[in-house]
């Protein structure tokens, strides 16, 4: 094992560099905080930190940035579970079941599961990065526009499974999201659509909508009844899930990690898509799919393992091909170049020692994340004991500040508040918010890539069935869309004939 | 930061009124930190040039420059903000070639004449790059093949109406060929697609393909510049091959049109000194970016030339509004 030897050398080099270890821990801690705050994403954290790393030696600088990246992906889950504020788009998926668990008084176990699953998913992805990078490098190149289109369609097909109580309402919400996604610059023609002359609307204002729909809407709702504390149970409960419980999740975690790694390798697909896809597959393979959306630990584990699995996958494409698959790795590519390391085919040959030192450091980052995460959860959980009259204004203030921070734009705050009001009424009338977010992620990806694929093929639709990956993904998408409907229809028929009236109004209180 | 700005906003108001009476403020400019508006996201190429520049001005201006990213609209949001800023020199901007593109598409409220150029810092030409295992060894072979198969050769660019799309269109216009232009969401996805063999060529800058060219996966056939690239001295220019075409993107400091002359003078002087700092040049070189300092008037002439060129090209393409 050539790689193992190299890795051992890397560990030795790293151990002699305590500053790098310290800085990577600082990076992880910063990343967790950045990820937990709405609006501040891992991308922004990495970009802000970048100038500070110029003066550091390559290993310290790059490990600090990696730490922010890893911590940022994980940190979103903490506030998503405790307060239903997704700090990152991927955490919007975690919030679906995570916040339900908090309502049930199981916040501690949910947080612990999220932390453990993030760690396992991330570690798996780094190990794949270390040992399989050259083998998997070519996979990213197989993905052209038609494959990306098929992946986006598959992503959209998940709407049915994250709709909660009513598939019809979920589809309506998803359709609404697709409509919103058409606002902005036409991806192929380069002209503005439905922008009403506002340059601010040229890019789909995705994160403000997400913050509004989840966090602001939840804050508005909590104003209805100011006396009660947020959630029913202020107690955090135990944090590390009992082994028997977690053992049953290991299947979910490993499946989700693999999905995350594969999606991470694909250019243009990141942790948000991975979290939703992992959630969907966990539900598909679960023995109790009906519990998903009502507070199922498997849902939390799947989202977090998937999202963090992406980190190693995205790094793999960036390091081996010199091509960033998403916004974070694009900034990291800049960081590497500034340190005099040109990512790409020559990196492993010319700077093999340094690359493996970095790999060793990345493993350390994930271990650090596990320790810091578990160690700080009890403290973070105190948030639940804050009186609502304090917490609600704080949440709203965070929403406003976080939204402003994305683009330094007041216009975005307006969008966020409008989405918050819409989200409030959607909650009242039982329309799920997640399909809107999913449609906003997948809609533009599907449209742009479908039209690009048509351009590439000279206007022929043959790419829909002649390209194997495309055909497989589209088939899976159709099955995903139809199976729950068929199952539900069957269950309804069985239920109707059996006369068992399922209470449709499962009130939240 | 926000509170600080509100506070300084109030101070500026008082100062501005005072300066109208005294008329002495310009001599002391700058008396407070200068905001440098970057119309693109933190961490991108434009942002990194801006941050390196802001760092280099520290020695040459009594006050610090702070980078503020105002993204959106393919640069339109940030550029509009620079155009509409109070012309007192406390909000300067990182102008890009989009100043001469966006107005013709009818998506911007500004035109090239709304800005006073201070200094150009960096410029990158377009280059035609193909896969290393492609049959074309020279630009002539590539163009001959495109001639034999009109509309079959797919050239990836960084988005419709973006600079690299217009570069490929300009080449098509000059040579009378027909390419199939494929827009991507930025230069990186276009390069990925080229590596995967899904398109035949890209028209992005040498910097954006340098690591793959160095790694032997891609081959650069020609650059659209007046002179050969320092990083790739073996790659000929189109001019050498008898095609009189140079298309480049550029980045430089601009201020709103009505900025008083003394302020412009101060900024020009400081920018010249900053651009010539070895640390700044070194930083650009590390990012594979080309140092291309030009003083205000020269920069302005280049902007006007680009503006006329792209207006003409986009009218021919039917993109102009």
């Amino acid at each position: 094992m050539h790689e193992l030897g190299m890795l051992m050398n890397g560990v030795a080099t790293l151990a002699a560099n305590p500053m790098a270890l310290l800085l990577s821990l600082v990076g992880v801690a910063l990343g967790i905080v950045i990820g937990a705050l709405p609006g501040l994403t891992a991308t922004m954290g990495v970009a802000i930190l970048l100038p500070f790393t110029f003066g550091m030696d390559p290993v310290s600088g790059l490990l600090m940035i990696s730490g922010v990246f890893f911590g940022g992906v994980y940190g979103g889950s903490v506030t998503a579970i405790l307060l239903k504020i997704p700090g990152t788009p991927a955490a919007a998926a975690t919030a679906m079941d995570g916040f339900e668990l908090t309502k049930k008084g199981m916040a501690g176990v949910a947080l612990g599961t999220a932390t453990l699953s993030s760690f396992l998913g991330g570690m798996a992805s780094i190990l794949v990065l270390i040992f399989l990078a050259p083998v998997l490098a070519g996979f990213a190149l197989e993905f052209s526009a038609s494959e990306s289109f098929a992946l986006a369609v598959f992503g959209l097909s998940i709407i049915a499974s994250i709709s909660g109580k009513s598939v019809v309402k979920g589809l309506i919400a998803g359709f609404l999201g697709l409509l919103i996604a058409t606002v902005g610059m036409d991806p192929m023609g380069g002209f503005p659509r439905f922008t009403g002359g506002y340059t601010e609307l040229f890019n789909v204002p995705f994160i403000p909508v997400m913050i509004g729909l989840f966090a602001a809407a939840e804050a508005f709702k909590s104003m209805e009844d100011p006396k009660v504390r947020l959630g029913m149970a202020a107690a955090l409960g135990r944090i590390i899930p009992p082994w028997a419980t977690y053992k049953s999740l290991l299947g979910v975690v490993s499946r989700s990690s693999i999905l995350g790694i594969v999606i991470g390798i694909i250019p243009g697909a990141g942790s948000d898509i991975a979290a939703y896809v992992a959630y969907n597959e966990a539900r598909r393979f679960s023995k109790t799919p009906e519990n998903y959306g009502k507070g199922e630990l498997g849902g939390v584990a799947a989202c977090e393992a998937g999202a963090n699995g992406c980190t190693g996958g995205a790094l793999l494409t960036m390091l081996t091909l010199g091509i960033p698959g998403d916004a974070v790795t694009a900034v990291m590519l800049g960081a590497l170049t500034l340190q005099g390391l040109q990512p790409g085919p020559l990196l492993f040959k010319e700077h093999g020692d340094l690359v493996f030192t970095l790999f060793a450091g990345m493993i350390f980052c994930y271990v650090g994340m596990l320790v810091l995460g578990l160690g700080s959860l009890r403290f973070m959980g105190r948030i639940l004991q804050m009186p609502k009259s304090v917490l609600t204004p704080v949440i709203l203030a965070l929403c406003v500040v976080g939204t402003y921070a994305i683009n330094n734009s007041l216009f975005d705050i307006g969008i966020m508040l409008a989405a918050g009001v819409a989200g409030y009424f959607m909650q009242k009338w039982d329309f799920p918010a997640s399909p809107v977010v999913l449609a906003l992620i997948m809609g533009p990806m599907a449209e742009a890539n479908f039209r690009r694929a048509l351009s590439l093929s000279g206007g022929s639709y043959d790419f829909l069935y002649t390209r194997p990956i495309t055909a497989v993904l589209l088939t899976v998408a159709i099955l995903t869309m139809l199976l729950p409907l068929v199952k539900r229809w069957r269950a309804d028929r069985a239920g109707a004939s059996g006369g068992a009236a399922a209470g449709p109004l499962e009130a939240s209180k | 930061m926000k509170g600080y700005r509100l506070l300084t906003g109030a101070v500026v108001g008082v100062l501005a009124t005072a300066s109208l009476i005294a008329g002495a403020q310009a001599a002391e400019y700058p008396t407070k930190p200068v905001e440098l508006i970057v119309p693109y996201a933190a961490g991108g190429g434009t942002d990194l040039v801006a941050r390196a520049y802001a760092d280099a001005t520290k020695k040459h201006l009594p006050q610090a420059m702070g980078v503020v990213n105002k993204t959106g609209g393919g640069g339109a949001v940030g550029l509009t903000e620079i155009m509409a800023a109070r012309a007192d020199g406390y909000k300067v901007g990182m102008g890009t070639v989009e100043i001469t593109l966006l107005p013709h598409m009818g998506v911007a409220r500004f035109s090239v004449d709304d800005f006073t150029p201070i200094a150009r810092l960096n410029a990158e030409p377009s280059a035609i790059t193909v896969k290393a295992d492609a049959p074309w060894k020279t630009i002539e072979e590539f163009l001959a093949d495109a001639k034999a198969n009109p509309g079959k050769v797919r050239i990836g660019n960084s988005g419709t109406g973006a600079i690299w799309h217009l570069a490929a269109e300009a080449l098509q216009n000059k040579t009378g060929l027909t390419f199939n232009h494929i827009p991507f969401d930025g230069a990186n996805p276009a390069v990925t697609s080229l590596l995967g063999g899904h398109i035949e060529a890209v028209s992005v800058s040498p910097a954006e393909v340098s690591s793959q060219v160095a790694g032997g996966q891609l081959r650069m056939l020609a650059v659209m510049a007046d002179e050969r690239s320092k990083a790739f001295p073996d790659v000929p220019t189109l001019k050498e091959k008898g095609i009189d075409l140079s298309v480049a993107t550029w980045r430089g400091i601009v201020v709103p049109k009505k900025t008083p002359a003394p302020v412009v003078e101060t900024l020009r002087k400081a920018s010249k000194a900053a651009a010539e700092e070895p640390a700044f040049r070194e930083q650009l070189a590390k990012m594979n970016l080309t140092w291309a300092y030009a003083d205000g008037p020269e920069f302005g002439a280049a902007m006007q030339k680009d503006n006329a060129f792209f207006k003409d090209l986009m009218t021919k393409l039917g993109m102009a509004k």
Side-chain angles (χ1 to χ4, degrees):
Chain A
M1 288 295 272
H2 168 64
E3 281 89 0
L4 203 60
M6 295 283 279
L7 187 64
M8 284 305 140
N9 284 341
V11 172
T13 320
L14 197 66
N17 191 348
M19 199 59 200
L21 294 177
L22 183 71
L23 284 171
S24 50
L25 279 184
V26 171
V28 170
L30 278 174
I32 295 177
V33 173
I34 287 169
L37 293 170
L40 297 180
T41 56
T43 316
M44 201 181 296
V46 168
I48 292 168
L49 202 70
L50 184 59
F52 294 100
T53 64
F54 289 169
M56 301 176 189
D57 67 292
V59 173
S60 305
L62 291 168
L63 281 185
M64 191 165 172
I65 288 177
S66 308
V68 173
F69 180 21
F70 302 161
V73 174
Y74 154 71
S77 69
V78 179
T79 39
I81 290 170
L82 287 177
L83 304 169
K84 205 184 176 183
I85 305 180
T88 57
T94 311
M96 289 190 289
D97 279 84
F99 188 64
E100 294 299 319
L101 284 163
T102 299
K103 277 199 206 158
K104 286 186 193 167
M106 291 167 70
V109 175
L111 286 171
T113 305
T115 310
L116 271 177
S117 311
S118 293
F119 166 74
L120 290 175
M123 276 301 262
S125 77
I126 299 298
L127 291 177
V128 167
L129 170 64
I130 295 173
F131 294 105
L132 296 173
V135 187
L136 292 175
F139 175 67
L141 297 179
E142 295 295 317
F143 259 74
S144 178
S146 63
E147 283 79 13
S148 298
F149 160 70
L151 178 67
V153 171
F154 172 51
L156 283 172
S157 70
I158 292 171
I159 286 179
S161 81
I162 58 168
S163 292
K165 288 162 207 156
S166 159
V167 174
V168 175
K169 284 182 177 175
L171 290 178
I172 293 174
F175 190 68
L176 186 80
L178 284 177
L179 281 183
I180 300 172
T182 59
V183 175
M185 204 68 108
D186 179 283
M188 297 296 278
F191 52 82
R193 299 186 299 202
F194 312 122
T195 57
Y198 289 101
T199 35
E200 287 89 347
L201 286 174
F202 279 12
N203 299 71
V204 186
F206 159 59
I207 296 187
V209 172
M210 185 194 82
I211 296 176
L213 281 180
F214 279 83
E218 195 64 34
F220 291 149
K221 194 179 148 212
S222 72
M223 282 182 205
E224 282 182 345
D225 189 6
K227 272 169 274 168
V228 191
R229 282 162 201 264
L230 194 91
M232 269 85 268
L236 200 54
R238 69 178 288 167
I239 287 179
I240 297 172
W243 172 239
T245 313
Y246 201 77
K247 204 170 81 178
S248 64
L249 295 177
L250 283 179
V252 170
V253 169
S254 44
R255 194 166 45 236
S256 305
S257 306
I258 293 169
L259 282 170
I261 295 166
V262 171
I263 291 172
I265 292 174
I266 297 168
S271 53
D272 40 10
I273 299 178
Y276 278 104
V277 169
Y279 181 87
N280 182 56
E281 296 312 311
R283 187 172 180 273
R284 192 202 302 270
F285 286 99
S286 165
K287 287 186 201 97
T288 53
E290 64 279 4
N291 285 350
Y292 277 71
K294 294 175 194 160
E296 170 71 47
L297 273 179
V300 173
C303 296
E304 286 304 306
N308 280 277
C310 259
T311 53
L315 284 169
L316 192 153
T317 313
M318 191 267 280
L319 291 172
T320 53
L321 299 172
I323 296 162
D326 59 9
V328 190
T329 44
V331 181
M332 288 188 74
L333 182 88
L336 279 156
T337 326
L338 282 171
Q339 295 283 6
L341 303 164
Q342 187 73 259
L346 295 181
L347 182 69
F348 285 70
K349 259 186 232 157
E350 288 174 1
H351 300 282
D353 295 344
L354 194 119
V355 170
F356 277 89
T357 311
L358 282 179
F359 287 163
M362 286 174 187
I363 293 177
F364 178 78
C365 279
Y366 263 116
V367 174
M369 191 194 89
L370 180 71
V371 175
L372 284 176
L374 288 178
S376 62
L377 285 180
R378 185 125 335 253
F379 177 72
M380 300 251 205
R382 290 261 182 89
I383 295 172
L384 289 180
Q385 284 155 14
M386 268 167 93
K388 239 189 188 180
S389 53
V390 176
L391 192 57
T392 305
V394 168
I395 291 178
L396 273 177
L398 274 177
C399 291
V400 170
V401 173
T403 306
Y404 183 78
I406 305 165
N407 285 332
N408 296 321
S409 157
L410 277 175
F411 190 88
D412 286 354
I413 295 180
I415 291 177
M416 184 275 291
L417 289 174
V421 173
Y424 171 76
F425 285 106
M426 282 173 69
Q427 277 207 1
K428 286 234 125 171
W429 299 328
D430 257 343
F431 284 92
S434 306
V436 183
V437 173
L438 191 68
L440 279 174
I441 299 170
M442 303 294 180
M445 184 173 162
E447 188 207 344
N449 283 301
F450 181 68
R451 292 171 61 188
R452 192 172 295 132
L454 270 181
S455 258
L456 284 167
S457 68
S460 153
Y461 289 94
D462 290 350
F463 67 84
L464 291 174
Y465 46 84
T466 52
R467 301 180 68 102
I469 302 179
T470 312
V472 168
L473 279 172
L474 286 177
T475 314
V476 176
I478 293 167
L479 289 178
T480 310
M481 198 73 208
L482 294 181
L483 278 183
L485 294 177
V486 172
K487 266 189 196 159
R488 214 169 268 236
W489 179 71
R490 271 201 191 148
D492 279 359
R493 264 186 30 155
S497 58
L505 280 177
E506 195 190 319
S508 53
K509 286 186 184 170
Chain B
M1 175 106 180
K2 187 86 199 300
Y4 176 67
R5 273 177 60 195
L6 283 176
L7 187 78
T8 46
V11 179
V12 177
V14 176
L15 267 181
T17 331
S19 73
L20 280 177
I21 305 159
Q25 188 219 0
E28 292 153 26
Y29 168 87
T31 53
K32 63 186 179 85
V34 177
E35 237 179 78
L36 176 57
I37 307 282
V38 175
Y40 296 95
T46 307
D47 177 69
L48 292 175
V49 174
R51 284 178 200 273
Y53 164 81
D55 214 36
T57 52
K58 266 185 199 149
K59 282 191 212 156
H60 308 288
L61 274 182
Q63 295 279 341
M65 268 201 193
V67 173
V68 178
N69 302 85
K70 293 268 181 183
T71 56
V77 172
L79 292 171
T80 306
E81 170 134 354
I82 301 165
M83 182 264 304
R86 191 196 295 265
D88 58 2
Y90 288 104
K91 221 180 218 181
V92 304
M94 190 57 139
T96 57
V97 73
E98 279 73 18
I99 289 179
T100 64
L101 303 179
L102 294 171
H104 310 309
M105 295 168 74
V107 296
R109 301 214 312 270
F110 54 82
S111 78
V112 70
D113 297 317
D114 288 325
F115 301 95
T116 301
I118 299 290
R120 184 180 66 198
L121 300 171
N122 150 257
E124 300 296 331
S126 168
I128 297 295
T129 307
V130 298
K131 269 196 98 172
D133 55 13
W136 321 286
K137 302 278 183 254
T138 64
I139 187 78
E140 287 99 334
E141 288 174 27
F142 177 75
L143 293 175
D145 196 20
K147 188 163 208 164
N149 302 295
K152 286 276 189 283
V153 172
R154 295 166 292 189
I155 300 191
N157 61 61
S158 52
T160 300
I163 181 72
W164 305 139
H165 170 226
L166 294 169
E169 290 279 9
L171 179 63
Q172 166 169 319
N173 190 37
K174 265 276 193 277
T175 54
L177 302 169
T178 313
F179 300 119
N180 183 2
H181 302 276
I182 314 285
F184 287 86
D185 188 15
N188 282 319
V191 177
T192 314
S193 201
L194 178 63
L195 281 174
H198 307 294
I199 52 177
E200 276 73 41
V202 291
S203 53
V204 304
S205 72
E208 283 154 327
V209 290
S210 61
S211 75
Q212 290 81 16
V213 171
Q217 294 172 315
L218 298 180
R219 176 163 54 234
M220 206 185 296
L221 296 180
V223 288
M224 300 190 194
D226 295 342
E227 288 163 25
R228 291 190 176 200
S229 157
K230 284 210 178 69
F232 299 96
D234 300 335
V235 178
T237 65
L238 280 184
K239 278 204 174 142
E240 292 172 33
K241 301 287 177 183
I243 302 165
D244 185 18
L245 181 67
S246 39
V247 180
T249 185
W250 41 258
R251 302 170 174 122
I253 306 299
V254 295
V255 290
K257 185 174 57 182
K258 288 186 182 135
T259 310
V263 173
V264 171
E265 270 321 298
T266 312
L267 281 171
R268 265 176 63 189
K269 238 190 197 158
S271 298
K272 183 171 168 41
E276 279 164 2
E277 281 277 329
F280 176 74
R281 300 189 66 153
E282 206 174 288
Q283 194 80 296
L284 286 195
K286 269 191 188 169
M287 294 184 277
N288 293 320
L289 295 176
T290 316
W291 184 84
Y293 171 76
D295 194 13
E298 193 192 331
F299 180 26
M303 278 166 74
Q304 290 295 346
K305 196 177 149 211
D306 273 1
N307 191 52
F309 176 78
F310 289 123
K311 187 176 181 191
D312 178 53
L313 179 67
M314 290 165 104
T315 312
K316 273 186 195 153
L317 295 175
M319 290 180 75
K321 282 215 182 96

